[in-house]
């Protein structure tokens, strides 16, 4: 588990600088700021020494970098580049494509043996495009072993779809014998790949909890089965905690999220609001043993419109690290009480509920 957002970028740069064969990455948001340019420069260095570098960024989320001189400089240095889900003319494209579908993934694969997974985009925690909500608070895990090949498959799906270049030969390379480790699995979903898999996974994990369930997510606009699963978890005696940002970069999503508070609290779910920046970590820990971490939020957009990537793993030691990180968020958060929610004004409750009716399009 990386210590901080800056430490994550530094570790990625170090791994890219040590790469011998290839570097593959895709980000939803890749900014031309300090951290974003650190990665861009590392890719240029790697490409110049003969490492095959393939980099992809969402055409909407990363538009500032894609339309900058730094994108052109990477291309000139020999980095193979692709724009995920190009927007083009949004008026004309609306007639021929779906501009609401986005590639929300954050994947790094290096030499088919190292991979990263978590909530962090390729940017500074100051996140200057939305600086008033900063810092962005993220969690990322660096993995080694066969799990990298699973993320490789996910990257290859995106890359082939947008460039036409097939990576079959790379995907068929013999796998080295795995070293001692733990069980892990990549979960990749999208609107064209049975989108229901991600909410079904969340629900299956929630219903599997026996003692404790801790979830952090910046955006909570659930479907009915997910809301019911969390309420049922608390009702059967599982200590169930949700951690949200106190101030969200989307007031619409914040209002919709709060419309679900009363039912959650009445079921016994503990709700915490984190005040020190935008809590962007998407994590779930289960009974101190299982962890789910990645890009997917607990909202309808992640479940039905975005291409997402998560990793599910069973390891009490690494889960303990994630759990300590979650505990640090809770320690700095303010608990939300049922009495507080009951005291909200009628027009505040009406506003939240009205916005929540738009849940399917949020």
């Amino acid at each position: 588990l990386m210590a901080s957002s800056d430490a994550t970028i530094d570790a990625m740069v170090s791994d890219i600088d040590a790469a011998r064969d290839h570097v593959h990455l895709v980000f939803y948001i890749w900014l031309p700021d300090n951290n974003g340019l650190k990665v861009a420069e590392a890719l240029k260095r790697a490409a110049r020494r003969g490492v095959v570098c393939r980099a992809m960024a969402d055409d909407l989320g990363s538009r500032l970098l894609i339309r900058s001189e730094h994108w052109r400089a990477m291309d000139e240095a020999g980095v193979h580049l692709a724009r995920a889900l190009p927007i083009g003319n949004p008026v004309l494209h609306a007639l021929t494509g779906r501009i609401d579908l986005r590639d929300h993934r954050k994947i790094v694969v290096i030499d088919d043996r190292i991979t990263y997974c978590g909530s962090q985009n390729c940017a500074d925690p100051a996140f200057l495009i939305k600086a008033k909500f900063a810092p962005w608070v993220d969690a990322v895990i660096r993995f080694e072993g066969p799990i990298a090949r699973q993320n490789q498959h996910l990257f290859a799906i995106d890359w082939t779809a947008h460039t036409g270049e097939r990576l079959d030969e790379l995907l068929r390379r013999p796998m080295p014998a795995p070293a001692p480790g733990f069980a892990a699995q990549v979960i990749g979903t999208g609107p064209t790949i049975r989108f229901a898999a991600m909410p079904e996974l969340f629900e299956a994990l929630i219903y599997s909890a026996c003692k404790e369930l801790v979830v952090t997510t910046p955006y909570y606009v659930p479907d009915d089965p997910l809301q019911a699963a969390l309420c049922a978890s608390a009702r059967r005696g599982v200590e169930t905690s949700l951690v949200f940002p106190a101030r969200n970069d989307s007031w619409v999503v914040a209002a919709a999220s709060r419309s679900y508070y009363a039912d959650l609290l009445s079921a016994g779910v503990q709700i915490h609001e984190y005040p020190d920046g935008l809590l962007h970590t998407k994590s779930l820990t289960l009974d101190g043993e299982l962890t789910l971490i990645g890009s997917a939020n607990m909202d309808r957009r992640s479940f039905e419109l975005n291409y997402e990537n998560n990793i599910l793993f069973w390891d009490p030691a690494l889960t303990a690290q994630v759990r300590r990180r979650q505990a640090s968020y809770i320690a700095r958060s303010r608990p939300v009480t049922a009495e507080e929610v009951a005291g909200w004004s009628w027009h505040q409750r009406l506003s939240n509920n009205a916005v929540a009716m738009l849940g399917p399009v949020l």
Side-chain angles (χ1 to χ4, degrees):
L1 177 63
M2 298 289 99
S4 66
S5 295
D6 289 337
T8 298
I9 296 297
D10 290 343
M12 288 179 181
V13 168
S14 178
D15 283 333
I16 293 170
D17 283 338
R20 297 182 177 182
D21 186 70
H22 65 269
V23 177
H24 292 163
L25 60 84
V26 56
F27 283 104
Y28 172 58
I29 297 176
W30 187 353
L31 296 182
D33 58 11
N34 180 60
N35 280 342
L37 294 183
K38 276 186 180 181
V39 173
E41 291 300 318
L43 288 170
K44 288 159 62 176
R45 290 193 298 270
R48 287 174 180 143
R49 69 175 187 271
V51 174
V52 177
C53 297
R54 297 180 177 93
M56 182 162 48
D58 183 86
D59 200 43
L60 175 63
S62 301
R63 61 192 180 279
L64 293 180
L65 178 70
I66 291 171
R67 289 150 181 75
S68 75
E69 60 182 337
H70 306 291
W71 189 259
R72 294 189 294 274
M74 282 193 287
D75 183 51
E76 291 167 0
V79 180
H80 303 279
L81 299 172
R83 294 156 50 212
L85 302 172
I87 299 172
N89 184 310
V91 176
L92 297 178
H93 192 70
L95 302 176
T96 59
R98 293 284 300 277
I99 61 174
D100 57 333
L101 305 183
R102 302 311 330 151
D103 194 331
H104 195 241
R105 290 171 177 162
K106 306 104 169 59
I107 299 173
V108 177
V109 180
I110 299 168
D111 289 347
D112 211 22
R113 67 181 186 85
I114 296 170
T115 194
Y116 289 78
C117 185
S119 61
Q120 184 175 335
N121 292 292
C122 193
D124 293 338
F127 216 69
L128 294 180
I129 56 173
K130 294 186 177 181
K132 68 178 182 179
F133 301 101
W136 249 243
V137 179
D138 286 290
V140 176
I141 295 178
R142 178 186 183 275
F143 296 88
E144 292 186 15
I147 194 69
R149 176 64 63 88
Q150 292 192 20
N151 257 355
Q152 189 84 280
H153 275 269
L154 204 54
F155 174 86
I157 291 171
D158 283 358
W159 185 261
T160 301
H162 290 92
T163 69
E165 180 189 9
R166 298 183 65 88
L167 304 181
D168 302 51
E169 182 180 350
L170 178 59
L171 298 176
R172 294 193 185 107
R173 287 181 182 177
M175 293 286 291
F182 52 83
Q185 180 178 347
V186 166
I187 314 291
T189 58
T192 54
I193 314 172
R194 205 173 76 80
F195 61 81
M198 194 65 80
E200 288 171 2
L201 173 65
F202 274 108
E203 291 154 24
L205 291 172
I206 293 167
Y207 280 118
S208 298
C210 295
K211 296 175 292 184
E212 181 191 67
L213 177 72
V214 183
V215 176
T216 69
T217 184
Y219 311 116
Y220 183 75
V221 188
D223 55 13
D224 290 341
L226 182 59
Q227 173 80 352
L230 285 166
C231 290
S233 172
R235 288 191 183 108
R236 69 175 187 273
V238 175
E239 187 176 344
T240 305
S241 301
L242 300 178
V243 192
F244 304 131
R247 218 164 52 107
N248 204 297
D249 63 318
S250 169
W251 71 266
V252 176
V253 173
S257 296
R258 291 187 173 119
S259 72
Y260 298 98
Y261 278 17
D263 286 345
L264 290 166
L265 290 166
S266 67
V269 176
Q270 300 172 40
I271 300 176
H272 309 268
E273 290 190 339
Y274 181 87
D276 299 334
L278 195 142
L279 181 63
H280 195 243
T281 300
K282 305 107 168 32
S283 67
L284 180 153
T285 59
L286 173 65
D287 293 340
E289 297 181 345
L290 270 166
T291 295
L292 179 70
I293 195 164
S295 70
N297 298 300
M298 279 188 162
D299 66 0
R300 301 287 288 272
R301 166 159 284 283
S302 278
F303 293 162
E304 299 176 14
L305 297 175
N306 287 345
Y307 292 89
E308 304 283 2
N309 70 286
N310 282 42
I311 287 181
L312 174 68
F313 64 86
W314 180 89
D315 183 60
L318 186 53
T319 294
Q321 293 185 42
V322 178
R323 183 64 188 86
R324 285 194 293 272
R325 183 70 56 86
Q326 292 175 324
S328 73
Y329 300 154
I330 292 173
R332 296 162 66 181
S333 296
R334 182 185 66 83
V336 179
T337 66
E339 292 74 21
E340 173 189 347
V341 172
W344 287 347
S345 64
W346 69 266
H347 52 82
Q348 183 177 359
R349 293 197 300 271
L350 179 62
S351 174
N352 291 346
N353 292 338
V355 171
M357 293 173 63
L358 301 175
V361 296
L362 292 180

